[in-house]
Amino acid sequence: MAGDSHKKTFLILTVFISIIAVGLTVVAFSTDNWVKFTGSKHNDTGCDKNKSDDSCTTNGRFGLFRGDNEINYNFGPRDRKSKVICTDGWCSYYTVRIDLGETLDNTEAGTAYIKNISSIYTKAKDKGENVHDWEYGLFGFGYWVTILVMLSLGIVWGLVTISFTVFNIFGKPIETITGPLGLYLWNLLGLIFMLIGVILFAVLFQTNFAKNVLPQNDYGYHTFRTDSSLDYSFYFTVGSLVGFLLNLLLLMFSGYSVRCACTQEANKAIDNGIILY
């Protein structure tokens, strides 16, 4: 009995950790602080060289689906909003200016913008020019969707983990997959999918966002250059990843070994004189 109580204590801990892990990923999805950035003019074009302050600057943040930033062309700061729009195998943060009354509801305009930018990029690349997708604010649609799917599956397996752990605490699983093996499996799957999602986004940041998070006209024509860093929403997913790892360690230290639970139940049935013919 003492052993069972000890194991259930560890299972209760894994439930709380799983809830936190799932919650962190949900919060990461709903917040727009995956990447933050600041920037300034690459040269002095259009800026007052006599000013001691930074007269041509930009700063902002964005998440998996949207973001906001502020840009100053030496005429005062202007607030802008952006959201991810994908078409023709490419995605980009389509940006509008709030002070001009522009909204992000016009998806057709965003789609047309990305088609135009991706076409310019493709033509330049076909000509053999040394161009990169990040210079145009572009990133791959398939890669982006893979990140979202991996993180979403991490949430799914986290919910499965919570459900089956609660069942093991209050119920008597008779199938191996619903018992110890299942608890290890669901946590391992959550760990794997979260790890893939985190790594993929970190790679995307290093190859694209760390070099440029601005639309092509800001990066190219206006020659702004940015300094970007990962923000707390991203680290929430890292925390979720650590949560799944802690669950696996707790299961190991609890003495909850992987064995067939159905054998024990069958033995109990025989001891009680219940024999099926």
Side-chain angles (χ1 to χ4, degrees), residues 3-270:
D4 290 340
S5 177
H6 172 77
K7 292 176 182 178
K8 286 189 176 181
T9 300
F10 275 88
L11 291 183
I12 292 172
L13 285 175
T14 63
V15 170
F16 282 108
I17 292 175
S18 298
I19 292 174
I20 293 173
V22 171
L24 285 174
T25 309
V26 171
V27 172
F29 263 102
S30 59
T31 52
D32 302 326
N33 294 83
W34 282 70
V35 175
K36 61 181 178 180
F37 63 92
T38 58
S40 59
K41 277 283 194 178
H42 185 61
N43 54 42
D44 293 319
T45 304
C47 294
D48 190 344
K49 298 180 183 180
N50 297 320
K51 285 190 175 182
S52 59
D53 61 329
D54 295 328
S55 54
C56 288
T57 59
T58 181
N59 62 83
R61 62 193 176 88
F62 61 82
L64 294 177
F65 307 104
R66 57 192 174 272
D68 59 77
N69 63 83
E70 179 183 275
I71 197 163
N72 186 353
Y73 296 123
N74 197 29
F75 302 106
R78 301 171 182 180
D79 292 329
R80 308 191 302 181
K81 292 284 185 182
S82 59
K83 76 173 180 179
V84 175
I85 294 182
C86 301
T87 184
D88 292 346
W90 292 104
C91 294
S92 180
Y93 281 91
Y94 175 60
T95 304
V96 299
R97 280 179 52 184
I98 301 175
D99 59 311
L100 296 180
E102 298 175 341
T103 67
L104 292 168
D105 297 332
N106 192 351
T107 305
E108 292 183 1
T111 301
Y113 164 79
I114 297 174
K115 285 184 176 181
N116 180 53
I117 294 299
S118 61
S119 175
I120 295 173
Y121 163 70
T122 302
K123 289 179 180 178
K125 194 170 184 179
D126 290 342
K127 291 180 181 178
E129 297 181 19
N130 186 23
V131 294
H132 306 279
D133 53 1
W134 54 264
E135 295 177 283
Y136 294 80
L138 299 171
F139 48 93
F141 170 74
Y143 196 97
W144 189 246
V145 170
T146 302
I147 293 174
L148 299 180
V149 170
M150 292 298 104
L151 296 177
S152 298
L153 287 175
I155 294 176
V156 170
W157 291 119
L159 294 174
V160 172
T161 296
I162 294 171
S163 301
F164 277 96
T165 306
V166 171
F167 177 61
N168 274 266
I169 294 172
F170 298 103
K172 294 181 179 180
I174 60 174
E175 298 292 338
T176 305
I177 199 64
T178 61
L181 176 61
L183 298 183
Y184 280 98
L185 178 61
W186 314 136
N187 279 289
L188 182 60
L189 288 173
L191 175 66
I192 291 173
F193 285 110
M194 288 301 303
L195 180 62
I196 294 174
V198 167
I199 291 176
L200 288 178
F201 189 87
V203 171
L204 180 64
F205 172 80
Q206 289 297 329
T207 57
N208 285 63
F209 300 149
K211 299 177 180 179
N212 174 44
V213 296
L214 296 173
Q216 192 273 340
N217 60 332
D218 289 333
Y219 183 86
Y221 176 72
H222 296 296
T223 62
F224 276 90
R225 296 298 182 266
T226 57
D227 181 18
S228 307
S229 61
L230 293 167
D231 208 358
Y232 66 79
S233 295
F234 169 79
Y235 292 110
F236 281 164
T237 60
V238 176
S240 180
L241 172 66
V242 173
F244 285 112
L245 180 59
L246 285 176
N247 278 351
L248 289 171
L249 293 175
L250 285 173
L251 289 173
M252 292 172 61
F253 287 117
S254 69
Y256 220 83
S257 59
V258 180
R259 62 185 185 280
C260 183
C262 57
T263 303
Q264 291 182 336
E265 293 299 319
N267 290 336
K268 290 180 181 178
I270 294 174

